Amino acid sequence: AYVYRSAGGFDVAAIGTDFAGGYTIVLEGVYRYVRALASLLHAIEVELNYTTQLNGYFTPPESQGFVPHYDEHDVLILQMRGSKIWHLYDGADVAPCDMARHAPIASDALPSPTDVRLGAGDVLYLPRGCVHAAEATSEVSVHLTLGVKAPTLLMLVTRALNALSHSDNRVHAQLPPGYLDHPDARASLDVLVGDAVEALEQPSAIALGVESLADDLVKRGQSPPAGQAVTKAIGIDGRTRVAKYQPLYSRVTETPDGAALHFARLVVNADPDHRDAFRFLAKSAEPFRVCDLPGLSAPQQTELARTLIVNGFLVRLMDE
């Protein structure tokens, strides 16, 4: 239940009353307000190449927030305070095709659950489609639900088709008149679909789909707060030690004029001679010196490092 004041904002007293009455408080997207949680999520995203989300749940003693249900993505349950009993309905898993049509759960047909008790510090993994429910024990329960959203083949093919729409006319073929009612027109759809499948079979088509998904992951990254970044970029030289800000997913693309380094909704463009340096930076995981940037002159190395420190891609380290 959402409890608002008529003048706007939440009615804290009413929320407290409902909580005392057994309602669970759900904090959706809590990572948007806690940078440490956002960093945790993006670290997982960088490692897995999957997008994530995080919600917080405060459940009063001996209460249950939801009836048996399933999630359409994998979930990690992180118990933060108190304890909770999780009821796992083995054998009732919902198949992906049923999830796609939001199939309901027949609660009266569920098998007897397997019960798992989570205490503070425990973690539980629930694969997509796993039917579950949970209830708090004799104290307030606080847990985080970390959703891990793996891209599906459907998403990849859809992105590839969308990318092809900018260069291949086969995916723009119009359906023939009467395709809903006339057998001959209906039969011609096989040829049109075959042409689209042929377009998808090009290696470049899948690469375009993957690049589209990579763009999503890049844009989810966050650079550190600006703070004194400009000051820290002053006086650097080839011996200055730097490191790529972590976690931060990045990628390098070709451009008509050279190459581009993408990270955290930012793009740094440069001439072709920066291509090797960009690739080195995108893959870097350990500290290095500015003079280690490959393919660039000393002035170019310093200027690129200064730009990336100011923009939050690189962090200046203390000299040894």
Side-chain angles (χ1 to χ4, degrees):
Y2 293 90
V3 184
Y4 293 101
R5 292 184 184 275
S6 58
F10 289 104
D11 188 330
V12 177
I15 292 175
T17 299
D18 285 347
F19 184 75
Y23 282 91
T24 291
I25 297 174
V26 182
L27 301 179
E28 295 184 347
V30 65
Y31 62 94
R32 297 189 182 100
Y33 312 102
V34 182
R35 192 173 185 90
L37 293 179
S39 294
L40 168 64
L41 290 195
H42 195 55
I44 294 172
E45 293 177 342
V46 171
E47 181 67 25
L48 301 180
N49 297 164
Y50 297 163
T51 59
T52 60
Q53 67 177 42
L54 191 71
N55 298 329
Y57 296 83
F58 293 71
T59 303
E62 299 179 350
S63 296
Q64 180 171 317
F66 297 98
V67 298
H69 64 285
Y70 63 90
D71 294 293
E72 297 180 9
H73 50 264
D74 294 351
V75 168
L76 288 172
I77 307 297
L78 315 175
Q79 189 70 30
M80 308 298 292
R81 173 182 171 181
S83 61
K84 218 166 194 181
I85 305 297
W86 289 82
H87 308 299
L88 310 180
Y89 295 90
D90 300 324
D93 295 355
V94 179
C97 56
D98 291 327
M99 285 187 271
R101 59 185 180 85
H102 305 293
I105 296 173
S107 299
D108 56 350
L110 289 174
S112 297
T114 297
D115 292 343
V116 177
R117 181 190 181 107
L118 293 189
D122 290 338
V123 179
L124 175 65
Y125 167 68
L126 299 177
R128 63 174 178 169
C130 174
V131 179
H132 60 277
E135 57 184 317
T137 56
S138 58
E139 56 185 323
V140 172
S141 166
V142 179
H143 81 266
L144 300 176
T145 295
L146 196 163
V148 182
K149 299 184 175 182
T152 63
L153 182 58
L154 174 62
M155 292 177 63
L156 176 59
V157 171
T158 300
R159 295 298 184 91
L161 280 172
N162 285 335
L164 283 173
S165 71
H166 300 291
S167 60
D168 197 315
N169 289 327
R170 286 175 289 183
V171 301
H172 291 289
Q174 293 179 319
L175 303 188
Y179 74 94
L180 294 177
D181 302 312
H182 298 295
D184 290 343
R186 189 71 171 263
S188 69
L189 297 180
D190 293 343
V191 176
L192 295 179
V193 172
D195 289 342
V197 170
E198 185 178 277
L200 275 174
E201 288 176 345
Q202 302 174 74
S204 59
I206 302 305
L208 289 171
V210 170
E211 288 175 6
S212 176
L213 294 171
D215 283 339
D216 290 348
L217 201 56
V218 166
K219 293 173 183 177
R220 293 177 62 84
Q222 292 185 0
S223 297
Q228 300 177 345
V230 175
T231 302
K232 292 180 179 179
I234 296 174
I236 67 171
D237 57 29
R239 298 299 298 167
T240 303
R241 295 177 65 248
V242 294
K244 179 180 175 182
Y245 178 73
Q246 299 291 344
L248 187 63
Y249 187 77
S250 59
R251 61 189 294 256
V252 179
T253 62
E254 303 288 331
T255 68
D257 299 322
L261 178 64
H262 303 252
F263 60 95
R265 297 184 178 275
L266 298 176
V267 181
V268 174
N269 293 285
D271 295 332
D273 54 4
H274 282 64
R275 188 176 293 112
D276 289 343
F278 279 175
R279 290 172 178 166
F280 171 85
L281 289 162
K283 294 180 180 179
S284 66
E286 301 295 332
F288 61 92
R289 295 191 184 277
V290 172
C291 62
D292 294 331
L293 289 170
L296 301 178
S297 65
Q300 287 177 315
Q301 291 173 331
T302 302
E303 182 60 29
L304 177 59
R306 183 180 295 113
T307 297
L308 294 178
I309 291 173
V310 171
N311 284 289
F313 183 89
L314 291 179
V315 177
R316 185 174 184 175
L317 305 178
M318 296 294 294
D319 293 331
E320 294 178 339

